[in-house]
Amino acid sequence: MTKCYVSYHNITSSLGFDSATVFENLKQGKRAIQSVDEPFRFYKPFFGAVIPTEILNSAFQILTPNKDFTRLEKMLLLSLSETIKASGIDISDRVGLIISTTKGNIDVLDTQSQFPQERGYLSDLGKIIQNYYGFKNEAIVISNACVSGILSVAIAKRYIQEGIYDQVFVVAGDLVSDFVISGFNSFHALSDGPSKPYDANRKGINLGEVAASVLVTSNKKNLSEDAVEILGEASCNDANHISGPSRTGEGLYRSVKSALAEANIDYNTIDYISAHGTATLFNDEMEAIAFNRLGLEQTPLHSLKGYFGHTLGASGLLETIIGMQSLHHNTLIASAGFETLGVTKPLNIITETTSKKVRTFLKTASGFGGCNTAALFRALS
Amino acid sequence: MEQPYRISSYCHIKNSSVFLDGKDVNASPIQEFSTFIKSAAKQLETNYPKFYKMDNLSKLAFLAADVLLKNADLSSDNEHNIAIILSNKASSLDTDRTYQASIADPEKFFPSPSVFVYTLPNICMGEISIKHQLHSENCFFIFDRFNADPLWINAQSLLKRKKAEKVLCGWVEFDDKNYEAFLYLVEENGIIAHSPNEIKRLYKT
């Protein structure tokens, strides 16, 4: 099988508009989660991580837009423009485009929106991104709940290994809108302070807003200095419940097993785990059970949700980029918000940002609909 | 040489009718969706109380999958690694609009978790997975029309790499009052070649 790599990347977020700045902020322990009092997002203040609108709009002017774009489109276009530029790749007919989002331009359903409701069709969002950069191939939109971001990397690999494309740009993003805030709130899943993944006092999630993009390529001439090989990936359904995770972590367990089998490596070669860690009671408990079943309870693990909030369809891609930076800088980032273990099985949570030689990491995600995805990445140097 | 894969069966649901391999298995008068899908589920012996709690998109996908998987006569003794790859244009917009209406007016602010959970298109694959106990690969794609190539590419990739034994693929669309499901099963055995052209031909029948 053709080897595939994750190469050039960008993060457009509440902690900076490029991956290096964001990683530096994480090293310094900066968390973007704060009380947000913006009535256009929600009728009352909530704890979340959002990109300040003025900063987004002013950054977007770099692209000298000649028409109106929605907030999400601005985030996606900004992020993708940086990744395309860094890669130096010409958009030929051998280059694909994947867009990962759970809700897309969902804010246009609000009658206050200046955009027509039709803008809510995800295929329209795909066309806007595709046409803006002159992609020769139709955008592939993936909407698979909270695993979308990491699943998109797996799908990009499929397209390359099937010989359809040589390179695929993946861009992922979601908004913090009244739609998702009220929805998670109706599940009593929102935390009333900065979230505390795996902690005994965790009270739920914060929502966050990020666009992230990467180049997935099989061409060794197009590798960034921190590029990683995709060793293996898999997605397995829990087949248990549509809104709650499996009590045995079945889908996550199977996803990691299948990814390890494809990678043909043993579980003890994993240097660290970038887990999902939403800080809900059930999700974190499910992960602890699955990682214990896999023999990974001693492997250093973090959740990045305590920095960025849960960025939905962007989270898996965002966290993969941070993982790449961790390998490149041999630095493990502390799991923000964690103090005392609050799951029933042992986990080796990273409590302080530390220097450590790391080569291979596991990225996992889980979501509504019982979906789970696992992917294994290895540094090239 | 590469193993050629086959389409073993296919199912359409449209215009108040359910077709299995091109044959009408549930002739009924033209009626509105919710009445039709309930009576079709009953006639086709989908004995599954949770069906009635699903949103329109999930009902549609679930029934088409149930017709195909029952017809495939899978033994209940062992596990079946059947991946699911579905696609549509409108994502979950039908339920998104219902949910948005429940939060639009601060005076009548009644967001419901049982509606919110269906505001994701992949939930219908979760429903199918639960009923048929499929702990398998899932992915939901969005395109502006029925698009055979991505379904074909992804099914080929999963089968070749032995990530799945069979793949349940198709298109399941619910938008306003318009609906259509076209699902098919890809595996080693069957009489129809698994190719983009054959998929397009079956879609149009």
Side-chain angles (χ1 to χ4, degrees):
Chain A
M1 275 286 174
T2 312
K3 286 187 175 181
C4 293
Y5 309 92
V6 185
S7 180
Y8 297 94
H9 50 78
N10 168 269
I11 296 169
T12 294
S13 76
S14 43
L15 285 175
F17 280 33
D18 65 89
S19 308
T21 304
V22 171
F23 194 72
E24 195 50 43
N25 279 328
L26 294 185
K27 273 167 69 180
Q28 291 173 17
K30 286 190 187 159
R31 304 176 70 178
I33 296 159
Q34 53 184 314
S35 178
V36 180
D37 188 2
E38 295 184 335
F40 83 91
R41 292 186 199 269
F42 203 44
Y43 72 94
K44 61 178 183 183
F46 63 95
F47 275 85
V50 297
I51 302 174
T53 302
E54 333 67 87
I55 295 178
L56 175 66
N57 286 340
S58 109
F60 190 64
Q61 291 308 313
I62 295 167
L63 300 184
T64 57
N66 57 5
K67 58 176 178 175
D68 287 340
F69 291 97
T70 66
R71 182 182 185 87
L72 180 65
E73 289 157 9
K74 287 177 191 170
M75 289 162 51
L76 297 173
L77 289 171
L78 253 181
S79 180
L80 188 54
S81 76
E82 292 301 317
T83 300
I84 293 175
K85 200 162 59 183
S87 74
I89 287 172
D90 288 330
I91 310 290
S92 72
D93 61 356
R94 298 292 299 165
V95 177
L97 171 64
I98 291 180
I99 292 161
S100 159
T101 186
T102 65
K103 296 310 309 162
N105 285 320
I106 191 66
D107 52 338
V108 304
L109 290 194
D110 191 325
T111 48
Q112 308 286 312
S113 172
Q114 66 172 106
F115 294 94
Q117 293 218 354
E118 285 64 39
R119 201 79 163 233
Y121 284 91
L122 300 183
S123 50
D124 282 26
L125 177 65
K127 282 203 184 76
I128 287 164
I129 309 291
Q130 174 195 328
N131 293 337
Y132 189 90
Y133 292 108
F135 278 88
K136 311 288 186 287
N137 294 296
E138 184 175 0
I140 297 159
V141 181
I142 292 171
S143 186
N144 212 87
C146 299
V147 308
S148 302
I150 186 63
L151 179 58
S152 293
V153 174
I155 304 290
K157 171 172 159 275
R158 281 182 203 166
Y159 273 83
I160 292 171
Q161 292 186 332
E162 286 298 303
I164 310 294
Y165 300 134
D166 299 325
Q167 338 245 14
V168 179
F169 285 98
V170 181
V171 60
D174 265 306
L175 296 173
V176 174
S177 61
D178 62 349
F179 193 101
V180 291
I181 302 169
S182 63
F184 280 101
N185 195 40
S186 75
F187 270 101
H188 303 289
L190 291 187
S191 177
D192 56 2
S195 68
K196 301 170 76 65
Y198 309 107
D199 190 83
N201 294 316
R202 68 187 184 278
K203 288 180 180 165
I205 70 170
N206 307 127
L207 290 164
E209 193 170 65
V210 160
S213 54
V214 300
L215 170 71
V216 180
T217 182
S218 58
N219 191 338
K220 283 202 154 181
K221 290 181 187 147
N222 295 121
L223 300 184
S224 59
E225 58 177 11
D226 58 353
V228 292
E229 182 185 341
I230 310 167
L231 298 175
E233 43 71 26
S235 296
C236 295
N237 199 287
D238 283 333
N240 177 63
H241 198 278
I242 54 167
S243 60
S246 155
R247 284 184 191 280
T248 57
E250 191 62 27
L252 179 57
Y253 170 82
R254 288 179 187 233
S255 299
V256 177
K257 277 271 180 199
S258 175
L260 281 166
E262 182 183 346
N264 196 23
I265 60 169
D266 199 48
Y267 71 91
N268 56 20
T269 56
I270 297 171
D271 292 317
Y272 105 91
I273 304 168
S274 173
H276 192 51
T278 58
T280 66
L281 285 176
F282 292 120
N283 174 79
D284 294 6
E285 177 66 17
M286 176 280 285
E287 286 183 88
I289 291 167
F291 291 133
N292 273 266
R293 286 178 68 192
L294 290 155
L296 290 168
E297 66 274 10
Q298 297 297 328
T299 309
L301 172 150
H302 70 195
S303 160
L304 293 168
K305 302 292 191 295
Y307 296 97
F308 301 97
H310 188 355
T311 57
L312 307 175
S315 59
L317 197 62
L318 163 73
E319 292 156 11
T320 297
I321 297 169
I322 299 301
M324 292 167 69
Q325 293 273 293
S326 279
L327 300 194
H328 185 60
H329 297 290
N330 287 305
T331 302
L332 292 181
I333 299 291
S335 199
F338 177 80
E339 289 166 283
T340 313
L341 192 69
V343 289
T344 61
K345 301 281 179 197
L347 285 177
N348 181 8
I349 310 287
I350 304 164
T351 52
E352 274 179 55
T353 294
T354 40
S355 288
K356 194 187 173 200
K357 182 86 187 139
V358 277
R359 218 174 144 232
T360 306
F361 80 99
L362 167 68
K363 174 74 213 111
T364 66
S366 303
F368 277 172
C371 52
N372 300 271
T373 299
L376 286 155
F377 300 95
R378 178 168 285 171
L380 296 178
S381 47
Chain B
M1 214 182 97
E2 272 185 15
Q3 166 79 36
Y5 297 102
R6 302 278 170 177
I7 296 171
S8 56
S9 56
Y10 57 99
C11 175
H12 288 276
I13 302 180
K14 56 186 176 185
N15 304 327
S16 300
S17 298
V18 182
F19 301 89
L20 174 61
D21 296 331
K23 291 184 203 76
D24 196 340
V25 291
N26 178 249
S28 76
I30 299 290
Q31 49 196 343
E32 57 98 22
F33 179 78
S34 63
T35 317
F36 152 68
I37 202 83
K38 261 188 245 168
S39 76
K42 202 170 174 193
Q43 282 191 46
L44 295 164
E45 294 174 358
T46 301
N47 299 316
Y48 195 59
K50 279 191 214 161
F51 178 81
Y52 302 96
K53 293 182 186 169
M54 295 178 196
D55 78 337
N56 292 326
L57 182 67
S58 285
K59 280 187 179 129
L60 189 59
F62 183 94
L63 185 62
D66 205 49
V67 167
L68 278 180
L69 295 176
K70 269 199 294 214
N71 179 58
D73 207 13
L74 308 167
S75 74
S76 55
D77 300 342
N78 30 20
E79 270 198 28
H80 301 283
N81 185 357
I82 305 175
I84 309 176
I85 300 168
L86 296 183
S87 57
N88 75 6
K89 177 182 178 184
S91 180
S92 55
L93 271 173
D94 177 58
T95 300
D96 293 359
R97 293 180 189 118
T98 306
Y99 181 79
Q100 181 70 34
S102 76
I103 61 165
D105 184 350
E107 305 290 310
K108 296 180 213 151
F109 188 78
F110 295 117
S112 151
S114 58
V115 177
F116 181 67
V117 69
Y118 286 102
T119 63
L120 292 163
N122 63 299
I123 298 298
C124 65
M125 300 191 296
E127 296 283 18
I128 296 166
S129 301
I130 293 167
K131 166 76 195 295
H132 299 280
Q133 281 301 294
L134 307 177
H135 296 93
S136 48
E137 289 271 348
N138 292 178
C139 190
F140 204 103
F141 292 95
I142 311 286
F143 292 100
D144 66 354
R145 77 226 169 271
F146 177 74
N147 193 348
D149 288 353
L151 300 175
W152 175 74
I153 291 161
N154 281 281
Q156 287 287 113
S157 170
L158 290 171
L159 290 165
K160 273 197 256 179
R161 294 187 300 137
K162 310 233 176 294
K163 291 273 182 184
E165 291 160 19
K166 302 179 186 193
V167 188
L168 179 66
C169 299
W171 174 261
V172 52
E173 172 79 341
F174 198 105
D175 193 3
D176 198 7
K177 290 182 178 61
N178 302 312
Y179 65 90
E180 179 185 33
F182 165 60
L183 265 60
Y184 58 92
L185 198 56
V186 187
E187 55 181 300
E188 284 184 7
N189 305 310
I191 48 168
I192 305 163
H194 182 230
S195 70
N197 279 340
E198 287 293 279
I199 296 166
K200 281 176 218 161
R201 181 180 69 79
L202 295 178
Y203 171 67
K204 287 179 188 150
T205 54

